[in-house]
Amino acid sequence: MESGLNFSAADLAQTRFAVSPMWEVVTSFRLLRDTTEPPLHRRWAAQVRPRLAQAGLDNGWLAELVPGHGFLADFLNPTPATPFPTLAAELDAIRASTPAQVRDDLDILRTKDPVGHRPSPRLRLLREAPEEALEKVAAEIETYWELALAPYWARIRQLLEADVFHRARQVAEHGSARVLSELHETVWWDDDTLHLVRRHCATMTRDQVGSGLLLVPSAFAWPRVLTRAVAPDPPQLAYPARGVGNLWEPRTNAATDAVAAVLGRSRTLLLTELDTPASTTQLAVHCGLSAAGVSQHLTALRNAGLVTAHRSGRSVLYARTSVADALLAPSEELV
């Protein structure tokens, strides 16, 4: 199946990129719903799935609004106001969704249900009292973010920002048409029209959406291109970011010796171990240090901006920041 989005000169002039936390929420949650192992995200999913099950998020609001296939509730992906919006800003936009938008999305979800289930209590509340229900949706998204994405966000955002900067440079060097044709194998530009095949989520035609185009790189959209088409907003196209296949590859190397000379062996060992987020207890076991010693070192590393802390149930997960990643990078990468 193919669709085409016509462009005027004004539409091309209003085409822009954005990194959207909410697109990462919905695409990563959908990926986790799949019973098969995600080949590109196996390491991440193995860590996150138990946390979500323990918190009951595998059967909550997101599970109602993000089915395993097909249409996604459009109000979950509001148009970013800036190139790099915060999750808080996007949650504010979700809370401000109009009752009409919410009900339209619920109607589409209902028609796409292959079994034809009766609306659940959550979806009935969303229809009858959207303002109250959207607060609950936003609260669950915040919890999901802390468990599934916040500990990894420095790494994910680095990937997405690199994609945006690369494509912006390509626009300057080669023009928009070439960049649009290189987004994905199912997307190409021809005769002032952006063509999409095997599209997901929404049909995009110019008479149904606003002007311009919003391009959103995603770590979790692969292998698909996802779309959002809600007037009067510009159409959105979420596509797999460049380099996503290397997202979860270990990043530690021989540069740790030089870092250890400055930070000390124990703190460098902790940073090395934090290639994936871990708790104080896990770090103590893996590094052969006392829990009290690990806690003291982590406090110092956090104060220096080298690690971040994220609540996960009764424990706290520590994650390495992009600053720490840069410290541990091979010296030739820092030139």
Side-chain angles (χ1 to χ4, degrees):
M1 186 180 296
E2 178 184 329
S3 67
L5 184 66
N6 296 326
F7 276 76
S8 66
D11 291 318
L12 277 177
Q14 295 178 61
T15 296
R16 63 186 179 92
F17 290 88
V19 169
S20 166
M22 276 308 306
W23 267 111
E24 299 311 285
V25 167
V26 297
T27 53
S28 65
F29 188 86
R30 168 169 280 184
L31 181 147
L32 290 170
R33 297 200 65 181
D34 197 328
T35 55
T36 60
E37 282 294 322
L40 295 183
H41 302 287
R42 185 175 290 110
R43 293 180 66 205
W44 169 82
Q47 295 178 37
V48 169
R49 276 179 171 144
R51 299 176 203 159
L52 300 187
Q54 184 178 18
L57 296 191
D58 53 347
N59 190 31
W61 288 94
L62 283 172
E64 302 268 13
L65 296 169
V66 183
H69 303 280
F71 178 77
L72 296 167
D74 283 326
F75 70 81
L76 292 177
N77 294 113
T79 301
T82 65
F84 302 103
T86 62
L87 177 67
E90 294 199 309
L91 289 178
D92 285 343
I94 289 173
R95 293 186 185 97
S97 301
T98 66
Q101 173 68 65
V102 172
R103 290 171 186 142
D104 285 347
D105 288 351
L106 293 179
D107 288 341
I108 297 174
L109 284 171
R110 180 75 182 278
T111 62
K112 300 295 184 181
D113 184 349
V115 183
H117 291 120
R118 292 173 58 84
S120 68
R122 287 192 184 93
L123 296 187
R124 286 200 298 271
L125 179 63
L126 196 52
R127 179 180 292 277
E128 296 166 5
E131 185 174 346
E132 175 187 349
L134 287 174
E135 284 293 340
K136 298 179 183 294
V137 171
E140 182 175 297
I141 290 171
E142 287 179 322
T143 301
Y144 176 81
W145 178 266
E146 284 301 310
L147 296 177
L149 293 176
Y152 312 91
W153 185 240
R155 177 176 290 206
I156 295 170
R157 175 166 173 151
Q158 185 179 45
L159 174 84
L160 303 180
E161 289 182 349
D163 182 277
V164 169
F165 295 144
H166 169 79
R167 297 188 193 278
R169 186 171 63 250
Q170 292 294 94
V171 169
E173 294 178 358
H174 304 291
S176 298
R178 176 166 165 177
V179 171
L180 291 172
S181 292
E182 293 180 349
L183 289 175
H184 192 264
E185 61 182 3
T186 63
V187 179
W188 75 95
W189 174 266
D190 180 53
D191 193 24
D192 295 332
T193 302
L194 185 67
H195 299 270
L196 300 93
V197 296
R198 297 200 305 273
R199 65 180 181 274
H200 293 257
C201 299
T203 300
M204 292 210 301
T205 57
R206 184 57 68 187
D207 59 350
Q208 295 175 325
V209 295
S211 58
L213 176 66
L214 183 65
L215 299 170
V216 184
S218 172
F220 298 97
W222 186 91
R224 304 179 179 93
V225 166
L226 306 174
T227 60
R228 178 187 189 269
V230 179
D233 297 340
Q236 295 187 40
L237 192 155
Y239 62 91
R242 298 173 69 253
V244 68
N246 299 320
L247 179 59
W248 307 118
E249 290 299 313
R251 299 186 178 183
T252 57
N253 50 70
T256 54
D257 290 338
V259 176
V262 178
L263 297 182
R265 290 288 175 187
S266 295
R267 291 177 183 176
T268 303
L269 178 60
L270 290 173
L271 285 181
T272 302
E273 194 67 29
L274 284 174
D275 192 61
T276 57
S279 67
T280 300
T281 301
Q282 292 170 326
L283 290 169
V285 171
H286 294 164
C287 297
L289 302 171
S290 69
V294 169
S295 180
Q296 183 179 24
H297 289 314
L298 289 174
T299 298
L301 292 170
R302 185 179 181 185
N303 290 341
L306 298 178
V307 302
T308 53
H310 309 274
R311 174 65 60 180
S312 176
R314 295 182 178 180
S315 63
V316 175
L317 293 176
Y318 291 88
R320 210 164 62 202
T321 67
S322 58
V323 176
D325 281 342
L327 275 178
L328 294 173
S331 57
E332 61 267 26
E333 291 186 4
L334 300 178
V335 175

